[in-house]
Amino acid sequence: MDDDLRVTDDIALPRAELGWRFSRSGGPGGQSVNTTDSRVELRFDLGATQALPEPLKERALARLAGRLVDGVLSIVASEHRSQLQNRRAAELRLVTVIAQAIAPPPRPRKRTKPSKGAIERRLTDKRRTGLRKQERRRPED
């Protein structure tokens, strides 16, 4: 199980399905800024993975449709100076994104009626505001 990324207690993503690309990070740096490939791009083929059950995969594909390119989810990390730290950050982000995408939808909101007291307070406030504005007007001859 050391090879897998834990998403939930039941679901783990195999590291063999992760694709990595490394490049030079942008922004200011130090002496080795032009030589180290510390920027990390993690690619995960959500459409082809067998790690997720089919209903959860469909839910994730629907929720992440705007972020996917041909069913592949891409995550970039370049905030750290070390490639290893960026790799860990990208893995953590991937797990978070997948966990949110497969989470069950929230329960629908139950519509409620305002209480009689709340309705009365609202109408009283409206009347008071109207009177205040009416008093500000110029008197008409």
Side-chain angles (χ1 to χ4, degrees):
M1 273 299 165
D2 192 45
D3 294 1
D4 298 341
L5 290 176
R6 272 275 155 226
V7 177
T8 65
D9 292 338
D10 303 333
I11 299 172
L13 305 176
R15 289 188 191 271
E17 293 186 7
L18 304 179
W20 297 95
R21 273 184 45 195
F22 307 102
S23 59
R24 294 188 183 129
S25 220
Q31 293 175 333
S32 62
V33 68
N34 294 326
T35 57
T36 57
D37 292 339
S38 59
R39 180 180 178 269
V40 171
E41 182 181 345
L42 172 60
R43 297 170 57 81
F44 179 68
D45 194 349
L46 188 58
T49 187
Q50 297 299 317
L52 297 174
E54 202 57 39
L56 294 182
K57 187 195 300 188
E58 289 173 11
R59 183 185 297 164
L61 286 170
R63 287 186 179 170
L64 297 174
R67 291 187 64 172
L68 300 177
V69 177
D70 297 328
V72 177
L73 177 64
S74 179
I75 294 185
V76 175
S78 64
E79 60 269 11
H80 301 288
R81 294 178 76 175
S82 131
Q83 186 186 99
L84 182 60
Q85 286 178 316
N86 283 332
R87 286 176 73 130
R88 289 185 180 144
E91 287 176 349
L92 182 64
R93 250 184 252 155
L94 173 70
V95 168
T96 304
V97 167
I98 297 292
Q100 289 174 351
I102 65 173
R107 291 196 339 228
R109 179 182 173 273
K110 186 177 180 181
R111 294 187 64 177
T112 57
K113 254 175 60 175
S115 66
K116 288 184 181 180
I119 293 172
E120 189 57 42
R121 284 190 299 274
R122 182 180 66 84
L123 294 176
T124 305
D125 286 345
K126 282 181 70 152
R127 276 189 223 101
R128 193 176 300 131
T129 303
L131 280 173
R132 185 182 311 135
K133 291 185 175 193
Q134 194 173 12
E135 290 170 355
R136 290 180 189 158
R137 292 183 192 156
R138 278 197 183 144
E140 297 196 19
D141 293 328

